[in-house]
Amino acid sequence: MKIKFITTGKTVEKYLVDGIAGYEKRIKKYVNFETVVLKDLKNAANMSFNTIKAKEAEMMLPYLNSSCFRILLDEKGVEFSSKEFATFLEKKMSTDGRDIIFVVGGPYGFDKIVYDNCDFKISLSKMTFSHQMVRLVFTEQLYRAFTILNNEPYHHE
């Protein structure tokens, strides 16, 4: 079982880079985890939002292998509590048997073809976060899910 986290463009703020790296290291104690950072688009300032989404989709599609369970982190997705997310993850890992891919889009969201090539959508909140901030929030929640599943003291309720 492997979990892959696909993101668009590198994270630039040092505090986010450090936080994400810390949670990635912790997650790897529980599961084979890999982050794939797709390159920033050149001349994006001169492109329409739809063109940007289409070009980002071209880079994402090779990673959205149908043999994996593909999940978009998207504002229109299902909202889970941390415990519900842990349960969802546990069920996927134990019953589905496929690797799991989580995908974060760029600042303008996803092209329709990316939606069409994914199996599920999860919303981290009704609030909107920057696409870079989402990376930290998601890696923390993934780590939290594993501590919940392993009855470790990180999560308090």
Side-chain angles (χ1 to χ4, degrees), residues 122-136:
I122 292 176
S123 172
L124 295 176
S125 172
K126 289 182 180 182
M127 293 180 174
T128 301
F129 299 108
S130 74
H131 64 289
Q132 292 189 30
M133 183 66 76
V134 165
R135 299 167 192 184
L136 177 62

Side-chain angles (χ1 to χ4, degrees), residues 8-55:
T8 303
K10 70 179 188 176
T11 305
V12 294
E13 296 291 340
K14 183 177 177 357
Y15 74 96
L16 293 173
V17 172
D18 291 346
I20 293 164
Y23 286 115
E24 287 175 340
K25 183 177 178 182
R26 293 176 187 188
I27 292 165
K28 289 177 181 179
K29 293 177 185 176
Y30 302 100
V31 68
N32 184 345
F33 181 77
E34 176 186 4
T35 298
V36 175
V37 179
L38 303 175
K39 293 181 182 179
D40 285 312
L41 293 174
K42 294 180 181 178
N43 300 317
N46 299 322
M47 296 179 200
S48 71
F49 296 164
N50 287 337
T51 300
I52 291 170
K53 291 191 297 186
K55 289 190 176 291

Side-chain angles (χ1 to χ4, degrees), residues 2-140:
K2 182 174 191 175
I3 295 178
K4 196 175 281 192
F5 185 40
I6 311 295
T7 66
T8 303
K10 70 179 188 176
T11 305
V12 294
E13 296 291 340
K14 183 177 177 357
Y15 74 96
L16 293 173
V17 172
D18 291 346
I20 293 164
Y23 286 115
E24 287 175 340
K25 183 177 178 182
R26 293 176 187 188
I27 292 165
K28 289 177 181 179
K29 293 177 185 176
Y30 302 100
V31 68
N32 184 345
F33 181 77
E34 176 186 4
T35 298
V36 175
V37 179
L38 303 175
K39 293 181 182 179
D40 285 312
L41 293 174
K42 294 180 181 178
N43 300 317
N46 299 322
M47 296 179 200
S48 71
F49 296 164
N50 287 337
T51 300
I52 291 170
K53 291 191 297 186
K55 289 190 176 291
E56 289 174 348
E58 287 175 21
M59 292 188 294
M60 285 177 195
L61 287 175
Y63 294 97
L64 300 181
N65 186 325
S66 62
S67 67
C68 300
F69 190 75
R70 302 153 301 178
I71 302 171
L72 295 183
L73 299 181
D74 185 81
E75 64 187 9
K76 301 173 197 102
V78 175
E79 287 187 33
F80 291 120
S81 69
S82 294
K83 282 186 138 180
E84 290 168 339
F85 177 60
T87 300
F88 170 82
L89 189 61
E90 181 180 47
K91 285 181 184 174
K92 281 290 151 209
M93 291 173 61
S94 64
T95 61
D96 195 304
R98 295 187 286 170
D99 290 346
I100 300 172
I101 296 175
F102 290 94
V103 185
V104 172
Y108 307 111
F110 298 104
D111 188 85
K112 183 181 180 320
I113 196 165
V114 176
Y115 283 111
D116 293 344
N117 280 277
C118 283
D119 302 303
F120 198 75
K121 293 180 290 198
I122 292 176
S123 172
L124 295 176
S125 172
K126 289 182 180 182
M127 293 180 174
T128 301
F129 299 108
S130 74
H131 64 289
Q132 292 189 30
M133 183 66 76
V134 165
R135 299 167 192 184
L136 177 62
V137 172
F138 173 74
T139 53
E140 190 279 337

Side-chain angles (χ1 to χ4, degrees), residues 83 86-87 89-90 93 144-152:
K83 282 186 138 180
T87 300
L89 189 61
E90 181 180 47
M93 291 173 61
R144 181 178 296 273
F146 281 111
T147 64
I148 290 168
L149 295 175
N150 287 281
N151 296 313
E152 295 174 2

